[in-house]
């Protein structure tokens, strides 16, 4: 189990990693429960943005990607509290093996949608948490 928090990171980054954690996975047969909590916003008429996890540079593929997509129909500048949460069994590289892994929260644009002005962590505490868990039977 690992937990980290940062206060008022004020991340105006449009693409790439906005939070990083190194995690020592003890067993190959386990899964990872990933959580990220902060406030997020997309500004711009018809603009969109996406927040998502990567493990060792790859998105989760099983059971599915862990992401949030946001669309803004107006030019509102609302920073909304959000939680990105999911279970990752494997990436395109296969099951997540025992060993040290780099876990990142990333931002980017939504394919096929207009790019919005992405902002994360406005004047708040962001939390990133990784737990190693036994898979469901």
């Amino acid at each position: 189990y690992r937990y980290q928090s940062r206060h008022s990171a004020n991340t105006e980054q449009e693409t790439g990693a906005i939070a990083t954690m190194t995690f020592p996975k003890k067993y190959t047969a386990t899964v990872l429960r990933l959580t990220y909590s902060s406030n997020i916003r997309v500004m711009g008429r018809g603009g969109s943005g996406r927040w998502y996890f990567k493990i060792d540079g790859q998105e989760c593929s099983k059971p599915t990607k862990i992401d949030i997509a946001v669309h803004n129909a107006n030019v509102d500048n609302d920073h909304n509290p959000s939680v990105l949460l999911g279970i990752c069994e494997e990436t395109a590289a296969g099951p997540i093996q025992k060993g040290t892994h780099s876990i990142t929260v990333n931002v980017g644009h939504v394919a096929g949608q207009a790019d919005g002005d992405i902002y994360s962590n406005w004047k708040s505490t962001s939390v990133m948490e990784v737990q190693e868990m036994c898979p469901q039977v």
Side-chain angles (χ1 to χ4, degrees), residues 22-129:
T22 300
F23 185 79
K25 191 168 184 272
K26 294 180 181 178
Y27 308 98
T28 296
T30 55
V31 299
L32 296 181
R33 181 180 189 266
L34 309 173
T35 308
Y36 179 75
S37 174
S38 187
N39 64 49
I40 61 177
R41 81 98 161 104
V42 172
M43 196 168 85
R45 190 173 308 277
S48 63
R50 181 172 174 251
W51 286 256
Y52 55 99
F53 277 108
K54 283 187 174 182
I55 299 174
D56 299 328
Q58 306 230 359
E59 286 194 63
C60 293
S61 60
K62 183 178 178 185
T64 188
K65 293 179 179 183
I66 304 171
D67 68 349
I68 296 173
V70 175
H71 178 267
N72 188 340
N74 298 305
V75 290
D76 300 335
N77 188 20
D78 298 332
H79 298 260
N80 297 301
S82 296
V83 175
L84 180 58
L85 170 68
I87 298 289
C88 188
E89 296 175 27
E90 58 185 69
T91 67
I96 303 161
Q97 301 298 310
K98 145 182 162 172
T100 302
H101 298 277
S102 174
I103 316 287
T104 57
V105 176
N106 302 269
V107 293
H109 299 287
V110 179
Q113 301 296 313
D115 295 347
D117 180 18
I118 296 171
Y119 200 100
S120 309
N121 312 321
W122 183 75
K123 298 190 182 297
S124 65
T125 298
S126 63
V127 172
M128 185 174 176
E129 183 178 74

